[in-house]
Amino acid sequence: CGATYIWPSNASKTLTAFFGEERPNRYHAGIDVRTYGRIGDKLFATSSGYIKKITISTKGYGKALYFQLDDGNTALYAHLNSFTEEINTIVKSLQKNRNQYSIYHTFNKDEFRFEKGEVIGYSGDTGTLSGPHLHYELRDSLGKPFNPLYEYKIKDNKSPIAHNLAVIPLDFPTTINGLNKPQTFSLSRLSANIYQLNDTIAVHGKFGLAINVLDKINSQPFNYGVYKIELYIDNNKKYEVAYDIYDYNDAK
């Protein structure tokens, strides 16, 4: 779909993590926007809608805001420092009445409506995280996170960097160079995006392949997970995985 949403913050256009990257027992369900160690950067309604829910916890997403978009998708902003003044007042009242810090509170659709571009909160470093940043997710009408880069285009013409290839036996009789155990082989780089194995590998039986690869982006200093992997054998595609949508049932 076309880029109909605006960027979620004025903090930066730098991403520190992508959708679909591996995390302990799960995948990363959004993108992380760099705030350069600051808190208090403005967060914008990326499209028109209303605040559906806020949650506050000492762990996980910390202070989080769930913004129901008019098109049926939901935008999630996590690790906030604070909400708008009105909502901060409601939060303090709820915390006082319940005598607890953690909050889970839903709103009616006519309570807190915002148009595209209006400020709906401020970035922070609450919850479980390694330094301040904005974690931003887009979820479809079924609540499944999907890749926000469908909506946001970033300049990226750098090829991933492949380090090595593992060959993994899938049956007890399988041998790889005579041994029934996974073996890792270094890859030699021939050009910007072409690598080869230096030696022939002798494999007998059913086996799997794994690749150790990192992606790079123009003008950004971080390492990222890859978006898509395709396997071709004799020019025929045999396998593909792409990080387009994330089902929590697949987490582990």
Side-chain angles (χ1 to χ4, degrees), residues 89-201:
T89 303
I90 291 170
V91 165
K92 284 175 187 171
S93 174
L94 289 168
Q95 288 173 325
K96 188 177 178 183
N97 292 341
R98 299 175 189 178
N99 195 29
Q100 63 182 36
Y101 175 78
S102 296
I103 296 290
Y104 178 104
H105 189 72
T106 56
F107 295 100
N108 296 325
K109 62 182 179 181
D110 53 357
E111 284 187 83
F112 290 105
R113 184 167 177 82
F114 291 84
E115 299 307 311
K116 182 196 282 192
E118 290 189 298
V119 175
I120 61 171
Y122 300 90
S123 68
D125 63 349
T126 58
T128 308
L129 74 173
S130 54
H133 66 267
L134 167 66
H135 174 86
Y136 175 77
E137 290 180 25
L138 288 172
R139 298 182 180 182
D140 65 16
S141 57
L142 299 175
K144 290 182 182 178
F146 63 91
N147 197 328
L149 295 187
Y150 278 120
E151 283 291 334
Y152 302 108
K153 301 292 177 250
I154 59 168
K155 187 180 180 186
D156 178 18
N157 52 24
K158 283 194 167 188
S159 300
I161 298 169
H163 294 287
N164 41 49
L165 188 77
V167 185
I168 302 159
L170 297 181
D171 274 346
F172 180 72
T174 300
T175 59
I176 300 150
N177 286 352
L179 299 172
N180 178 249
K181 65 178 185 180
Q183 296 199 53
T184 304
F185 302 92
S186 295
L187 295 167
S188 295
R189 189 173 187 170
L190 301 184
S191 64
N193 59 353
I194 295 178
Y195 296 78
Q196 73 172 16
L197 290 162
N198 293 326
D199 297 309
T200 303
I201 303 168

Side-chain angles (χ1 to χ4, degrees), residues 32-104:
D32 287 348
V33 179
R34 192 177 190 186
T35 61
Y36 291 90
R38 298 186 305 264
I39 60 173
D41 285 304
K42 292 175 181 175
L43 307 179
F44 305 116
T46 49
S47 190
S48 297
Y50 66 93
I51 295 178
K52 178 170 65 173
K53 179 173 69 175
I54 56 168
T55 58
I56 298 179
S57 172
T58 55
K59 298 179 291 187
Y61 286 158
K63 290 184 179 179
L65 186 153
Y66 296 74
F67 191 64
Q68 179 64 57
L69 305 174
D70 291 341
D71 63 8
N73 294 330
T74 300
L76 164 63
Y77 306 73
H79 310 308
L80 275 65
N81 183 55
S82 60
F83 306 103
T84 61
E85 208 170 318
E86 267 187 299
I87 292 177
N88 285 337
T89 303
I90 291 170
V91 165
K92 284 175 187 171
S93 174
L94 289 168
Q95 288 173 325
K96 188 177 178 183
N97 292 341
R98 299 175 189 178
N99 195 29
Q100 63 182 36
Y101 175 78
S102 296
I103 296 290
Y104 178 104

